[in-house]
Amino acid sequence: MRSIRLRGVLLALAAFTLALASFSIYKNYSPAPFFPENGQTISSSQKMGHEGADQIIPVDESEVLRLRKKVRVFVWVMTSPKSKQRARAVNTTWATRADRDLLVYMSSEADPSLPAVGLSVKEGRNHLTAKTMQAFDYVYKHYFHKADYFMKADDDTYVIMENLRYFLSFFDTKEPFFTGRHFKPEVKQGFNSGGAGYVLSKEALARLAARPKDPPLCKEDGKGEDVEIARCLEKLEVRILNSTDSRGRSRFHTHEPVKHVIKGVSWMHNYDANVVRVAGDCTKCWLYTLLSVSNWRVSSTEAELNQSTAA
Ligand SMILES: *[C@@H]1O[C@H](CO)[C@@H](O)[C@H](O)[C@H]1NC(C)=O
Ligand SMILES: *[C@@H]1O[C@H](CO)[C@@H](O)[C@H](O)[C@H]1NC(C)=O
């Protein structure tokens, strides 16, 4: 009994250290992130699946740059005047590995220092849907032709851009799909969690931007933006792409890594569209396929990082 508990604690510690190490890898851009074996190609049957998308070995920085050009991912980060500090932390960490001309912050007040776009919406949970709809409309208007994929993230989401581009490189952005942490309630095909961030293909964004507004096909305001956007996309025949890896492990996360590593988050077991699989069998390889983490407490994570890199 005692040894089992001890093993659990040791596992947790090891996992947490690995998680921190992976953050510091991405934070410092060295050593290089993790990418596929050279020459790996996708057959058409794999295109809308996920097989193969996680056979990963470390490669050099030129591979990172190649994918950066090949898979252009636009990211918009939802923020607010109240959570500027978080947006600043995003700005100095993972946003530095996004393309700067393909990243904007969306707020209710413009802030040229980030820069943040000021949308004409009221702040607060009850208006997250309007904020999201307007943000995607704005992105469509100004960036549609500049990128292949369009991601929504929160200002407490941590995104590993390199792994995200790699994952998306397996799919065809002309297909109408979106992907993220797939939860099953509320919408027939389910929805992707807002906190973990979700990604729309180019075709999905085109359909969303062209949604009928008079009379409206979709809810244009209200709470639960992730559910509403999924309802809307379902009406537009945009399907959810399975984002789990070939072992069924998750790539998008609603909580910090350590919560997902051992048991998973308890409420999620009935809520997730997939069996909640955690790192267990291979924490290290799971980290290579990790794309997003939410509830990222920037200040404490950074402090711990500094400690671990100083040690
Ligand atoms: C955010 O990052 C951009 C690009 O590096 C920089 O120009 C800007 O000053 C940063 N803003 C803040 C508030 O950190
Ligand atoms: C997603 O893929 C995994 C791994 O193949 C599979 O086990 C799971 O059933 C799929 N999920 C859905 C919702 O189809």
Side-chain angles (χ1 to χ4, degrees):
M1 187 65 200
R2 191 145 164 245
S3 77
I4 288 174
R5 197 173 297 158
L6 187 65
R7 228 179 90 211
V9 170
L10 283 176
L11 247 174
L13 269 175
F16 192 56
T17 311
L18 266 168
L20 283 181
S22 103
F23 277 129
S24 72
I25 285 169
Y26 292 106
K27 187 168 160 254
N28 300 320
Y29 218 110
S30 166
F34 304 91
F35 284 101
E37 278 173 86
N38 287 339
Q40 192 180 38
T41 51
I42 348 151
S43 66
S44 52
S45 66
Q46 284 179 328
K47 268 209 176 130
M48 293 300 291
H50 47 274
E51 304 89 345
D54 60 334
Q55 291 162 21
I56 306 171
I57 55 158
V59 295
D60 56 68
E61 208 164 309
S62 66
E63 190 63 12
V64 173
L65 292 174
R66 192 185 68 79
L67 269 173
R68 194 165 170 155
K69 289 201 188 99
K70 192 178 151 225
V71 186
R72 296 166 304 164
V73 181
F74 181 92
V75 187
W76 69 269
V77 179
M78 186 182 290
T79 186
S80 68
K82 270 195 194 150
S83 59
K84 257 187 199 168
Q85 277 312 109
R86 290 181 180 180
R88 290 216 174 100
V90 166
N91 204 46
T92 54
T93 54
W94 63 264
T96 60
R97 271 106 51 203
D99 292 292
R100 292 316 301 219
D101 44 357
L102 297 179
L103 183 132
V104 294
Y105 300 85
M106 298 286 183
S107 180
S108 56
E109 270 171 30
D111 177 356
S113 79
L114 276 167
V117 174
L119 301 168
S120 58
V121 288
K122 287 195 199 115
E123 284 297 348
R125 275 182 178 274
N126 292 339
H127 301 289
L128 286 179
T129 301
K131 204 166 171 182
T132 303
M133 290 293 190
Q134 282 190 34
F136 274 121
D137 287 345
Y138 180 96
V139 171
Y140 177 77
K141 194 166 161 208
H142 297 277
Y143 295 95
F144 184 68
H145 296 290
K146 296 187 177 148
D148 304 304
Y149 287 97
F150 302 88
M151 179 174 197
K152 177 257 163 177
D154 279 344
D155 55 13
D156 66 348
T157 313
Y158 188 99
V159 185
I160 301 172
M161 292 303 298
E162 296 86 349
N163 287 2
L164 178 62
R165 290 189 194 101
Y166 170 60
F167 174 64
L168 293 171
S169 74
F170 283 83
F171 308 108
D172 184 353
T173 196
K174 293 197 277 307
E175 299 277 340
F177 72 87
F178 70 131
T179 192
R181 180 71 184 215
H182 188 182
F183 288 149
K184 65 186 171 191
E186 305 283 352
V187 187
K188 207 158 146 220
Q189 68 170 340
F191 67 100
N192 289 312
S193 148
Y198 51 85
V199 185
L200 272 63
S201 71
K202 202 161 174 130
E203 177 60 23
L205 179 61
R207 290 187 187 195
L208 180 65
R211 68 193 180 277
K213 286 193 181 151
D214 191 18
L217 177 73
C218 303
K219 242 174 134 176
E220 295 288 337
D221 196 7
K223 52 188 169 192
E225 54 95 13
D226 46 7
V227 169
E228 292 310 331
I229 206 100
R231 277 204 181 108
C232 186
L233 289 170
E234 183 166 272
K235 288 180 188 160
L236 298 165
E237 293 178 13
V238 173
R239 59 204 156 118
I240 293 184
L241 174 88
N242 191 337
S243 68
T244 58
D245 72 9
S246 61
R247 296 187 195 203
R249 291 171 306 198
S250 47
R251 287 191 162 95
F252 290 81
H253 302 87
T254 47
H255 293 70
E256 52 273 45
V258 71
K259 287 228 173 102
H260 289 280
V261 166
I262 304 299
K263 281 198 281 200
V265 181
S266 59
W267 59 261
M268 221 175 276
H269 290 270
N270 286 324
Y271 209 74
D272 207 283
N274 293 291
V275 177
V276 175
R277 288 272 191 77
V278 290
D281 51 345
C282 179
T283 302
K284 203 170 164 197
C285 42
W286 172 72
L287 284 169
Y288 298 164
T289 63
L290 197 69
L291 299 184
S292 85
V293 172
S294 190
N295 280 325
W296 181 49
R297 274 181 275 286
V298 177
S299 50
S300 61
T301 309
E302 293 281 293
E304 281 156 4
L305 266 177
N306 289 340
Q307 266 173 24
S308 67
T309 47

